[in-house]
Amino acid sequence: MNSLWTSITRFYNSSIGKKIIVALTGLAMLLFLAGHLLGNLLVFKGADALNTYAKWLHDLGNALWVARIGLLVSLVLHVVATIQLVRQNRAARPVAYGCPATRRASKASRTMIISGLVILAFVLYHLSHFTWGVRNHYYDGTNPRYLWNGSHHVYNMVVDGFNWLPASIFYLVAIGLLCMHLSHGFSSVFQTLGLTTPRTRTALDLAGKAYAIGIFLGYASIPLAILTGLIH
């Protein structure tokens, strides 16, 4: 057991180990953003579709909590390892990099710190607005809170939440900031895992930008549709 822990500690303390952890946890969050978006977009299909999806998630029970804890651990590891990498790089090489590829990797690492902080803000936003009920009319009984089966009326929760303009503005700004850095994270994941070549670098950069634009448009469409009355 001690030897295993020593190996894990040695791996984490190494620069390569931290880069791999940042890449893998970043990949997990990239996949989560896409999957979470697909579920949220069910709001456009109406209350029944979104509430059925929400109940399916709730019925997963322990599996859902394992996923939540895993995502939270990934977020913490991602932010901490990235910050430590940036500090190590600055301490080891105070002079600017000469190699363009290395400059790109360094820039990606620095911007991922911002992405991590934005994701953390998102976590706090969702907890305060949708769990703790801060300025969400869903929790003051303006609209029905529960369905006939006793589960939460998630459709009403989302609509009531985004009807508060400051919440929607914060959400849109945070999504915009996050997506500004997603393309860096997307390409750096493949670079760190050794899947980038001179031939594929341009294609991966374009794919990262396309992914970031798609994520932004998808998430932004929900509060905008609610504020404009398309979803009510």
Side-chain angles (χ1 to χ4, degrees):
M1 185 66 181
N2 289 335
S3 60
L4 176 61
W5 179 251
T6 301
S7 299
I8 294 174
T9 303
R10 187 182 297 115
F11 173 78
Y12 179 81
N13 289 333
S14 68
S15 177
I16 294 177
K18 283 188 175 65
K19 288 179 180 178
I20 292 176
I21 289 174
V22 169
L24 293 178
T25 53
L27 179 61
M29 286 185 284
L30 286 171
L31 295 174
F32 167 77
L33 283 171
H36 190 55
L37 174 59
L38 292 176
N40 287 353
L41 288 177
L42 289 173
V43 70
F44 286 98
K45 295 188 67 175
D48 288 343
L50 185 62
N51 287 331
T52 299
Y53 168 71
K55 187 177 186 306
W56 173 76
L57 284 178
H58 183 269
D59 289 344
L60 292 176
N62 292 334
L64 179 60
W65 278 106
V66 169
R68 287 171 173 169
I69 293 172
L71 184 64
L72 179 61
V73 171
S74 294
L75 171 60
V76 172
L77 282 174
H78 189 81
V79 174
V80 171
T82 301
I83 292 174
Q84 291 176 343
L85 271 175
V86 172
R87 288 179 175 176
Q88 286 180 0
N89 291 338
R90 289 176 178 173
R93 190 183 292 269
V95 180
Y97 288 103
C99 175
T102 308
R103 274 203 305 272
R104 278 194 294 269
S106 178
K107 181 179 179 182
S109 297
R110 290 196 300 271
T111 56
M112 285 308 292
I113 294 178
I114 300 174
S115 299
L117 294 176
V118 171
I119 295 173
L120 179 60
F122 257 75
V123 172
L124 295 176
Y125 166 84
H126 278 290
L127 286 175
S128 64
H129 202 53
F130 291 115
T131 301
W132 301 329
V134 177
R135 295 304 298 269
N136 190 334
H137 290 306
Y138 171 80
Y139 286 91
D140 63 20
T142 301
N143 290 316
R145 290 185 56 186
Y146 298 99
L147 300 171
W148 62 270
N149 56 12
S151 60
H152 278 282
H153 199 309
V154 175
Y155 180 88
N156 280 355
M157 182 190 296
V158 172
V159 174
D160 288 345
F162 283 126
N163 264 319
W164 188 45
L165 184 60
S168 290
I169 291 175
F170 171 80
Y171 185 87
L172 291 170
V173 170
I175 278 288
L177 290 173
L178 176 60
C179 290
M180 283 175 60
H181 306 287
L182 276 181
S183 58
H184 296 297
F186 189 98
S187 57
S188 65
V189 165
F190 290 92
Q191 182 173 320
T192 300
L193 297 179
L195 301 176
T196 301
T197 66
R199 290 184 176 181
T200 62
R201 180 172 287 116
T202 300
L204 288 173
D205 287 342
L206 291 174
K209 292 176 181 178
Y211 177 86
I213 292 172
I215 290 294
F216 175 78
L217 293 176
Y219 278 104
S221 67
I222 298 173
L224 290 175
I226 292 172
L227 289 173
T228 58
L230 181 62
I231 297 176
H232 55 82

